[in-house]
Amino acid sequence: MHNIRIGQAVDIHQLVEGRKLILGGVEIEHSKGLLGHSDADVLTHAIGESILGALALGDLGKHFPDTDPKYKDANSLVLLGHIYDMMDEMGYQIGNVDATILAERPKMVPHIISMRTNISNVLHCDIEDVSIKATRGEKLGFVGNEEGIVSFSVCILEKKG
């Protein structure tokens, strides 16, 4: 059994009108939101999938398929809570999480502390163990053209005890 495990993930969702923009469990005022079966929270999805990857448990779709009606409009923090339970049952805890959001607009800085608080609460770790950063697409590609948002995450899990 490994004492330390690392996982990484990326999640991408399209920006569309008529949807709420939710990142890290924070509803952010914006003219568009992310399209998806659940609340489409790319940040929380990437973090959750990086944990699943560290545990060699597959991807988010394996555990929360978009074909299952019970996940329609699901709160991604609740899904992350289920991933935490899997991690806990396997005897691991968060060492740290480092995530990046790529979005042209809106500005993420005012929301980062709330995102970190939400994620650290669900993962039962200190806020200092959850890093969330943001960068713009500089008007390049689908991020820069405000067609979508991407999030990357890497995590380290440590064996408990």
Side-chain angles (χ1 to χ4, degrees):
M1 184 60 77
H2 303 289
N3 289 328
I4 296 176
R5 299 181 74 107
I6 188 168
Q8 65 85 36
V10 60
D11 196 47
I12 303 169
H13 283 271
Q14 182 181 359
L15 278 166
V16 296
E17 292 182 5
R19 293 272 300 188
K20 293 178 180 179
L21 178 59
I22 299 171
L23 294 168
V26 177
E27 187 173 333
I28 300 170
E29 187 67 35
H30 193 54
S31 60
K32 294 180 179 179
L34 294 169
L35 181 63
H37 186 66
S38 68
D39 62 10
D41 182 339
V42 292
L43 174 62
T44 303
H45 290 183
I47 292 170
E49 193 161 277
S50 70
I51 294 168
L52 289 172
L55 298 170
L57 293 177
D59 63 20
L60 214 57
K62 175 181 174 183
H63 298 275
F64 312 106
D66 62 8
T67 54
D68 191 331
K70 75 178 172 185
Y71 300 120
K72 177 77 173 135
D73 299 321
N75 180 330
S76 293
L77 289 176
V78 171
L79 303 181
L80 185 61
H82 293 307
I83 294 168
Y84 168 82
D85 291 341
M86 291 180 227
M87 177 184 71
D88 187 52
E89 287 172 19
M90 291 179 70
Y92 286 91
Q93 63 190 12
I94 295 294
N96 75 301
V97 170
D98 185 19
T100 305
I101 303 164
L102 281 73
E104 191 68 21
R105 289 186 316 116
K107 293 272 187 209
M108 296 295 147
V109 171
H111 310 288
I112 297 287
I113 292 295
S114 296
M115 293 175 191
R116 291 177 65 208
T117 299
N118 289 344
I119 299 297
S120 64
N121 285 342
V122 173
L123 296 178
H124 304 273
C125 65
D126 291 334
I127 193 170
E128 292 81 19
D129 296 329
V130 178
S131 170
I132 298 172
K133 307 172 302 298
T135 190
R136 296 176 43 227
E138 301 297 334
K139 307 233 182 268
L140 297 171
F142 72 89
V143 171
N145 291 325
E146 298 182 50
E147 297 169 14
I149 294 179
V150 181
S151 185
F152 296 92
S153 176
V154 63
C155 72
I156 292 179
L157 307 184
E158 300 170 339
K159 194 74 173 162
K160 290 191 273 183

